Amino acid sequence: MAERFDYKKSIGVTLDRFIMENQSDFPFATGELSQLLRDIAIAAKIVNKEINRAGLSDIVGAMGSKNVQGEDQQRLDVIADFRFTQALTHGGEVCVVVSEEVDEIIFTGNDDAKYVVAIDPLDGSSNIDVNVAIGTIFSIYRRKSPLGKKPGLDDVLQKGTEQVAAGYVLYGSSTMLVYTTGFGVNGFTYEPSLGEFFLSHPNMKTPEMGRLYSINEGNYDDFEDSLKAYIQLCRDRRYSGRYIGSLVADFHRNMLKGGMYVYPATKGSPKGKLRLIYECNALAFICEQAGGMATDGKNRILEIQPTELHQRVPYYVGSKKMVEESMGT
Ligand code: AHG
Ligand code: MN
Ligand code: MN
């Protein structure tokens, strides 16, 4: 018999409440990290609204400009970048930001603030115009430089192991915010009519083994032989190929269902395509927290010492056994 709807249980836990209740995970928490997470959630709501009506408000399409990596900027890339950097600047908890869309580090002017944020404001931007899921990725670090001084590049060039929190927003068939502070992964679904994120996916875990592989197979001829052999193994096992072309969306699906996403080194891009600081580290942290694994094909992503702001890295992320197999271990 179907379970009866229990109206007393129907009011969920809001993101704000969850953040507040879990603040005690950090013994000396002052509430600044909680406030910062809430600022990010507010910016995400604004960006969500803009994405939802993009086709109506003349904000789809290219800007006609390129970002620092020479990629065409979409209007929504620029809008999302503005919304998040504004929220992080005005929020007062962040001293410096690094964004995919901005060449240099962004000083917020809050030199007394103790956090650093790395952000991909809009991930999967080639999918905006065609109504396919896109995302936002963020990492939060504690600054290295002393409070009160102007922060510098070293505050941003930290290993992923130093993240205090990381998350993503997926603007998909529903909008979700998923984050970790190193005590498991929790997912929240946005209820637009109330303007609130509600806890929908508590303590997310990824299957150890999956049957999905996500890779741009159009680049197959440029892969290393070992990766070609692994892809062939996936085909032999009749695994499903699933590739949206929005890292956040591919990652989220694989985390829930079990699978692996790869953006490898290719002949044309020997360092891969994805960026260590504001794409790979956040999802690597979340993936490990959910029981998965993230490497560059050899080394753990979180232990790579970044040397450049927009550094690229080959990326293998997802179910532990699949990532291990693809590395030949
Ligand atoms: P972004 O839109 O932030 O530049 O990221 C795009 C990334 C990633 O989301 C996606 O998985 C990958 O680029 C797709 O690249 P290909 O088109 O080369 O497969
Ligand atoms: Mn991206
Ligand atoms: Mn982007």
Side-chain angles (χ1 to χ4, degrees), residues 114-307:
K114 62 180 181 206
Y115 291 107
V116 171
V117 171
I119 192 155
D120 177 354
L122 210 93
D123 173 66
S125 45
S126 67
N127 279 325
I128 296 169
D129 292 1
V130 289
N131 229 334
V132 172
I134 49 184
T136 295
I137 309 173
F138 61 91
S139 288
I140 303 175
Y141 295 86
R142 224 167 259 117
R143 70 186 290 172
K144 292 277 178 210
S145 56
L147 281 180
K149 296 263 192 270
K150 195 172 179 195
L153 205 53
D154 285 350
D155 290 307
V156 172
L157 298 180
Q158 299 192 45
K159 289 184 186 173
T161 46
E162 302 294 307
Q163 291 171 99
V164 290
Y168 60 82
V169 185
L170 172 60
Y171 311 97
S173 47
S174 59
T175 297
M176 280 192 73
L177 189 150
V178 176
Y179 83 102
T180 183
T181 54
F183 298 91
V185 182
N186 291 284
F188 299 79
T189 300
Y190 188 55
E191 162 50 271
S193 66
L194 299 176
E196 290 277 12
F197 283 100
F198 287 93
L199 181 63
S200 51
H201 296 61
N203 196 21
M204 296 168 83
K205 292 287 170 209
T206 193
E208 242 201 339
M209 186 64 190
R211 298 183 59 82
L212 301 176
Y213 69 101
S214 313
I215 190 164
N216 185 340
E217 243 168 306
N219 296 330
Y220 185 87
D221 289 347
D222 290 338
F223 298 161
E224 287 170 6
D225 289 344
S226 56
L227 181 59
K228 281 185 182 165
Y230 187 67
I231 299 299
Q232 190 52 51
L233 185 69
C234 291
R235 293 169 175 169
D236 294 344
R237 290 175 178 166
R238 301 292 187 270
Y239 288 177
S240 293
R242 290 282 184 276
Y243 192 73
I244 295 168
S246 291
L247 171 63
V248 170
D250 280 310
F251 174 85
H252 181 76
R253 182 204 52 241
N254 291 352
M255 180 163 72
L256 293 181
K257 299 204 165 195
M260 179 180 66
Y261 175 100
V262 185
Y263 209 109
T266 60
K267 283 177 195 146
S269 320
K271 293 180 177 161
K273 175 181 184 187
L274 300 177
R275 277 61 54 108
L276 175 61
I277 295 184
Y278 45 80
E279 290 181 315
C280 301
N281 270 336
L283 301 186
F285 187 20
I286 292 168
C287 189
E288 286 194 6
Q289 284 288 314
M293 191 170 177
T295 75
D296 66 356
K298 295 183 182 72
N299 313 296
R300 185 179 173 215
I301 288 290
L302 296 181
E303 286 174 12
I304 298 173
Q305 174 62 55
T307 52

